[in-house]
Amino acid sequence: MRKWTLPSVLFLLCLLFLLPDHGRKLHANAESDADELVDPPKVEEKLGAVPHGLSTDSDVAKREAESMSRKNLRSNAEKFEFQAEVSRLMDILVNSLYSNKDIFLRELISNASDALDKIRFLSLTDKEVLGEGDDAKLEIQIKLDKENKILSIRDRGVGMTKEDLIKNLGTIAKSGTSAFVEKMQTGGDLNLIGQFGVGFYSVYLVADYVEVISKHNDDKQYVWESKADGAFAISEDTYNEPIGRGTEIRLHLREEAGEYLEESKLKDLVKKYSEFINFPIYLWATKEVDVEVPADEDDSSDDEEKPESTEGEEKEDEDTDKEEDEDKPKTKTVKETTYEWERLNDVKAIWLRSPKEVTEEEYTKFYHTLAKDFGDEKPMAWSHFNAEGDVEFKAVLFVPPKAPADLYESYYNSNKSNLKLYVRRVFISDEFDELLPKYLSFLLGLVDSDTLPLNVSREMLQQHSSLKTIKKKLIRKALDMIRKLAEEDPDEIHDKEKKEVEESKENDEKRGQYTKFWNEFGKSIKLGIIEDATNRNRLAKLLRFETTTSDGKLTSLDQYISRMKSGQKDIFYITGSSKEQLEKSPFLERLKKKNLEVIFFTDPVDEYLMQYLMDYEDKKFQNVSKEGLKLGKDSKDKEVKESFKELTKWWKEALATDNVDDVKISNRLADTPCVVVTSKYGWSANMERIMQSQTLSDASKQAYMRGKRVLEINARHPIIKELRERVVKDPEDASVKTTAQLMYQTALMESGFMLPDPKDFASRIYDSVKASLSISPDAAVEEEDEVEEAPEVENTSTEKGETDSTPTEEEHEDIKDEL
């Protein structure tokens, strides 16, 4: 029998007190298996480095197990029907064959992060909302129950009241729901679900039954549950242990979703999608540790092989072993599986790091987290900078690879912002539209300021003086980022430098990037020129357009100026609905012959743009369809005007009722007999068409803004010369007046204007056709012979070759008798 010395007993007692509960129980079991534990262990022991795991007593555990195994809605719950839009969305998800089902985890973590942001913001003005102990720890916890196939995700965020559960998870479909369903039905990517605010429903990609347990500070704890069958239920939660505050989502996984019960899979997903979430994410993970337990007498070291040693060494070892045996009991090391909270996202907030330390891959991952867009495309450009001085802040800005579908739909009415505002690492708002002007609202990113006050409302924050300074610097950095995107694009290089760049293949990845940016966000740059007078010149440098000599490629104003002809003082442009239409415009005839470059503006917003962009680099803009076009002086101008003076005067009087201000000799025509131009500050033909198509346009105001029209004639055209001869002979000739009127209406239409009286124009064309066919103008249309309609005859006869298969009443009776 083993002898226990006093030092050994004292050492054992100390060891028992130092070991955690599970260690003492294991130690007791190793000594004796006779007695069972009086106090059974909790379902979740508080083990490991983060000792705040959820604990449940045996009764609660029993009720939870019953609920989990049933997968039936609780009998005492209040039942609700999903709104139609939500049901459609869930049908898409439940029946989806989408291969990347991983997105559900990132959506739930993203929602949990939003809830934590909200409670942290509320705590700035009321610290009591956080509570005490574990409730005050703002974190996200993920747990697995492999036996019951349950994945749980919990946050200690703001939580939801019963009203919130009904509103947010079922009955009131947010605008994003219908937008997402519509997008999916037209071949959209399910990966974008988070951008529409309906990411929660992605749980039905992997689960067939979902429970949402939520506790808000202002309400009791409730449980929301649904099997995605068109209905959901809500009841006061008496089944689960109190969660204090926040939300826990339990996913009862489908058979084919078993991979999400593996810790390694969840770790990989968090690393991939949620690495930059600004709150700690913990996984209740298994861990094997080495534990020292008392060794039995049978496990003596007699059987162990000892290495060979000298006699002297053996004597020393024996003496040493005897002393150690007297001081401590014999133990052995065994592997034991324990559980502890393992943090999965330990990356420091990217904006707090030096830009030199952050890799391109990290910027791309951070962008995907911000945008909730986890496609393959990288952001086009980004800018990471620290601002110092009176106002200190850190910021990261991104240019997305694609424009949102609704970017310009509610441009002036939307308060949406893609910029997150932090103050001293505390999230304040992502609905803060004062940091960037509306025309830059397509940019994504965040701003973290150390100078803005924390404990004020958002309304007061908007009036803070530092905000103007931050906004000014953000605009400057954003425009520099876009300018740099253009400068690094080899396709944007001037002709002189182009050969050197084409020989180098280093920048192939950046080739065409600015063209892509312009196609996605060019309208925003134009709106910026209209709205932002301070930065108008910077924005004008970012303009791109096609011209008469650009061969379908985009050109900048700087490139246009570099190609201007000697003596050319103005930048020529023309507006219209399409490039194809403008290329055939009569206004370009003389300009093309002189090889003068003309800019095509085909976007409706271009008409408004050119009202604000009057000049660039001391060059004035000139619309070639308006008065004032100067193409150099002709020595014969005065002689020509004098020789056609009688015709222009007569024609002006003939068109007095058509709002024609003047008839002049044109310097812009080559092959066309005449065109109609507008006054310099009046609407162009394109602008008139745009305004007339407005739903709420005012006809009376349009008449005022329309401006005066001028008929310009081509003195070298044979039709004009013949018309002058006939007017000289007989100014009262009715046929000449008709021809003059018809020519004006044709010129009006060719110049892009809408005819005020299309019927009158058509009548003149038909009269002209009659004259060309030598048909008398008084020739009438033959009267149509009236034919009396024959009365409808009932089905008494059939067409030739056909028989009526419908039996008569007598035949019907005969058939019945036979049957």
Side-chain angles (χ1 to χ4, degrees), residues 381-392:
W382 56 81
S383 178
H384 181 188
F385 59 92
N386 299 337
E388 298 178 351
D390 296 337
V391 178
E392 294 184 359

Side-chain angles (χ1 to χ4, degrees), residues 41-293:
K42 306 291 185 185
V43 171
E44 300 170 6
E45 286 291 347
K46 297 183 178 180
L47 306 176
V50 188
H52 50 269
L54 301 176
S55 60
T56 53
D57 58 35
S58 55
D59 293 336
V60 170
K62 184 178 178 182
R63 291 198 299 271
E64 283 187 14
E66 290 174 355
S67 171
M68 291 171 181
S69 60
R70 277 202 316 264
K71 288 193 180 181
N72 291 324
L73 302 184
R74 291 167 173 82
S75 58
N76 63 336
E78 190 175 353
K79 306 294 192 301
F80 298 88
E81 294 290 327
F82 281 113
Q83 193 163 346
E85 292 293 341
V86 180
S87 292
R88 287 172 60 200
L89 170 63
M90 293 176 74
D91 284 343
I92 291 173
L93 294 171
V94 170
N95 301 309
S96 174
L97 297 177
Y98 186 60
S99 58
N100 184 18
K101 299 181 186 293
D102 300 345
I103 61 171
F104 83 92
L105 186 64
R106 73 149 200 253
E107 294 303 326
L108 294 184
I109 290 176
S110 177
N111 291 346
S113 176
D114 291 343
L116 290 167
D117 276 329
K118 289 177 183 176
I119 196 65
R120 185 160 68 171
F121 178 75
L122 293 173
S123 69
L124 298 179
T125 51
D126 183 6
K127 292 184 178 179
E128 293 183 1
V129 298
L130 279 181
E132 298 177 350
D134 288 346
D135 289 344
K137 297 173 182 176
L138 301 181
E139 59 194 14
I140 301 168
Q141 298 174 337
I142 304 173
K143 297 191 67 179
L144 297 173
D145 182 348
K146 292 186 178 182
E147 185 178 347
N148 292 303
K149 296 182 181 177
I150 296 173
L151 171 61
S152 301
I153 299 169
R154 174 175 174 180
D155 65 75
R156 301 183 191 276
V158 69
M160 288 181 278
T161 62
K162 180 181 179 182
E163 182 91 17
D164 293 335
L165 287 168
I166 297 171
K167 177 182 176 182
N168 297 335
L169 303 184
T171 58
I172 300 178
K174 296 181 180 179
S175 59
T177 309
S178 53
F180 177 72
V181 171
E182 186 178 334
K183 188 82 173 175
M184 287 301 299
Q185 290 175 339
T186 56
D189 186 0
L190 193 61
N191 204 33
L192 303 178
I193 187 169
Q195 296 182 4
F196 295 86
V198 291
F200 165 77
Y201 301 107
S202 63
V203 295
Y204 290 104
L205 289 169
V206 296
D208 52 12
Y209 174 57
V210 177
E211 294 175 281
V212 180
I213 303 157
S214 195
K215 172 68 173 71
H216 190 280
N217 283 337
D218 298 335
D219 207 345
K220 298 176 183 177
Q221 182 168 313
Y222 285 92
V223 57
W224 178 101
E225 51 186 333
S226 174
K227 296 194 291 184
D229 55 357
F232 65 94
I234 296 178
S235 56
E236 185 179 340
D237 189 13
T238 57
Y239 300 86
N240 306 293
E241 67 172 5
I243 62 174
R245 186 200 64 252
T247 301
E248 181 179 348
I249 300 176
R250 291 178 183 165
L251 310 183
H252 297 252
L253 299 176
R254 300 179 186 177
E255 288 293 333
E256 63 271 20
E259 60 180 314
Y260 300 107
L261 292 171
E262 299 299 327
E263 291 178 12
S264 58
K265 176 71 172 178
L266 297 181
K267 289 177 182 178
D268 290 342
L269 291 181
V270 172
K271 181 77 174 174
K272 180 178 180 181
Y273 292 122
S274 307
E275 187 176 10
F276 295 100
I277 291 291
N278 202 30
F279 295 97
I281 303 172
Y282 291 105
L283 175 65
W284 188 245
T286 58
K287 185 178 181 182
E288 285 194 346
V289 295
D290 293 332
V291 178
E292 292 285 338
V293 297

Side-chain angles (χ1 to χ4, degrees), residues 377-562:
E377 290 189 277
K378 297 190 298 186
M380 290 192 208
W382 56 81
S383 178
H384 181 188
F385 59 92
N386 299 337
E388 298 178 351
D390 296 337
V391 178
E392 294 184 359
F393 67 91
K394 300 173 179 64
V396 184
L397 299 176
F398 293 95
V399 177
K402 289 182 179 178
D406 60 345
L407 181 59
Y408 304 110
E409 285 181 7
S410 54
Y411 180 77
Y412 289 107
N413 299 325
S414 173
N415 292 324
K416 182 182 177 183
S417 173
N418 291 320
L419 208 62
K420 292 179 181 288
L421 174 63
Y422 286 78
V423 176
R424 300 171 204 169
R425 269 64 68 201
V426 177
F427 176 76
I428 301 298
S429 174
D430 56 0
E431 298 177 358
F432 210 74
D433 58 347
E434 297 298 317
L435 288 172
L436 281 176
K438 285 190 178 295
Y439 70 87
L440 290 176
S441 62
F442 64 88
L443 296 178
L444 273 80
L446 63 80
V447 177
D448 188 352
S449 172
D450 290 332
T451 53
L452 289 172
L454 263 174
N455 55 345
V456 294
S457 65
R458 297 180 192 184
E459 291 74 18
M460 292 178 65
L461 199 57
Q462 286 177 330
Q463 307 301 324
H464 200 273
S465 57
S466 298
L467 212 61
K468 291 183 179 178
T469 307
I470 294 175
K471 183 176 182 178
K472 186 177 179 181
K473 289 185 178 180
L474 283 175
I475 294 173
R476 183 74 60 86
K477 286 290 186 179
L479 296 183
D480 286 346
M481 172 177 61
I482 297 170
R483 177 182 53 79
K484 189 178 178 183
L485 182 66
E487 289 175 351
E488 292 178 349
D489 186 347
D491 290 343
E492 290 286 317
I493 305 299
H494 288 273
D495 295 337
K496 294 178 182 179
E497 305 168 8
K498 204 163 188 179
K499 288 183 180 178
E500 298 177 9
V501 176
E502 283 180 350
E503 290 174 2
S504 171
K505 296 184 179 180
E506 294 178 3
N507 294 323
D508 279 353
E509 188 179 342
K510 297 177 180 178
R511 188 179 300 279
Q513 279 292 87
Y514 194 76
T515 301
K516 180 182 177 183
F517 166 83
W518 183 256
N519 292 335
E520 294 291 336
F521 304 107
K523 193 187 294 287
S524 293
I525 301 300
K526 295 174 182 178
L527 289 168
I529 292 173
I530 295 170
E531 298 168 7
D532 190 353
T534 306
N535 294 291
R536 189 163 289 156
N537 195 57
R538 284 192 185 88
L539 288 161
K541 287 184 177 295
L542 303 175
L543 277 177
R544 296 294 183 272
F545 37 77
E546 291 185 55
T547 71
T548 51
T549 62
S550 66
D551 296 325
K553 296 180 180 179
L554 293 180
T555 298
S556 68
L557 286 173
D558 289 329
Q559 289 172 322
Y560 179 96
I561 291 174
S562 70

Side-chain angles (χ1 to χ4, degrees), residues 301-317:
S301 59
D302 296 338
D303 299 332
E304 294 181 3
E305 295 183 4
K306 291 183 179 180
E308 295 181 3
S309 59
T310 62
E311 293 181 3
E313 288 177 351
E314 285 180 1
K315 285 183 179 180
E316 289 178 9
D317 291 341

Side-chain angles (χ1 to χ4, degrees), residues 627 658-663 675-679 683-685 688 692 706-712 744 748 753-756:
E627 277 188 310
D658 293 288
N659 192 31
V660 175
D661 186 54
D662 203 359
V663 179
V675 289
V676 177
V677 300
T678 55
S679 57
W683 284 347
S684 66
E688 265 192 45
Q692 286 176 358
R706 186 175 290 128
K708 295 176 181 178
R709 294 171 181 170
V710 176
L711 177 66
E712 289 192 359
Y744 168 71
L748 198 67
F753 294 94
M754 297 180 72
L755 294 175

